[in-house]
Amino acid sequence: MSGNWLVDNIRIRPVRSADEGALVAFYAGLSVDSRRARFLGCTAGLDLAGAHQLCGSLNVDEAGFVAERIDADGHHIVGHVCMTDTDEGGLEISVAVADAWQGHGIGRRLVAPAVAWAEHNDVDRLDATALTDNWRVLRLLRSSGHPAIVLDIGCGVSSVSIFLKDEAV
């Protein structure tokens, strides 16, 4: 897996430390509804310290990819997926796509290399938490090509577990 896909002027690549400022701007540019969906209403966005945490190299603690649009004005982040260690033995996965690019396959193009990275790094399970009414992300996570369980855990929140190994189900 190269980590670079260039289709329709969108390239998917691993996140890097130089992306910190661009990620802060990306999350600030999301609509209130998109930020609520991404952060479950717990924050208004991402600050530089949070971006620094998400821009570590691809290692077991943090892994992530960005979708960037390439045009005459440069490179602009239009999507982000990250995976973070959990105490439960899996990785937590989360994804956000710029409002103007939602529904155009960017989320799918971000999740695919994230799942491949997790498989390559011998991860058993990816977990996510989403608002129960966030049908796009719930559908996206169920379509990873692996068995997935979605549970309504109450208060309008669902948990998703994607099992990357047959023996983990």
Side-chain angles (χ1 to χ4, degrees):
M1 178 185 78
S2 71
N4 288 324
W5 299 345
L6 185 57
V7 179
D8 300 326
N9 294 331
I10 301 291
R11 175 175 62 181
I12 307 297
R13 63 164 175 80
V15 71
R16 54 185 181 237
S17 60
D19 293 325
E20 290 176 8
L23 275 176
V24 170
F26 164 71
Y27 281 106
L30 293 177
S31 68
V32 171
D33 288 339
S34 290
R35 281 196 309 271
R36 177 182 165 271
R38 166 57 179 89
F39 296 109
L40 303 179
C42 295
T43 184
L46 188 67
D47 61 11
L48 203 51
H52 177 74
Q53 186 177 10
L54 296 177
C55 288
S57 62
L58 291 179
N59 61 44
V60 176
D61 297 323
E62 300 285 343
F65 295 88
V66 294
E68 61 181 8
R69 181 169 183 252
I70 302 167
D71 60 22
D73 295 328
H75 298 217
H76 313 279
I77 293 177
V78 297
H80 178 234
V81 64
C82 63
M83 295 174 291
T84 307
D85 268 343
T86 66
D87 291 335
E88 292 83 37
L91 293 178
E92 180 180 3
I93 186 170
S94 56
V95 63
V97 175
D99 292 81
W101 288 92
Q102 291 177 11
H104 295 278
I106 301 298
R108 189 169 313 284
R109 288 163 59 187
L110 280 165
V111 168
V115 169
W117 182 91
E119 290 169 330
H120 178 76
N121 285 278
D122 212 25
V123 174
D124 293 334
R125 189 184 72 252
L126 294 174
D127 296 315
T129 306
L131 296 173
T132 302
D133 65 357
N134 190 349
W135 60 270
R136 278 187 165 153
V137 80
L138 293 172
R139 183 178 67 191
L140 171 65
L141 295 172
R142 283 191 303 246
S143 69
S144 71
H146 294 282
I149 296 175
V150 180
L151 298 173
D152 182 344
I153 58 175
C155 298
V157 177
S158 293
S159 71
V160 180
S161 292
I162 302 167
F163 298 93
L164 303 178
K165 297 181 179 180
D166 291 337
E167 63 271 12
V169 179

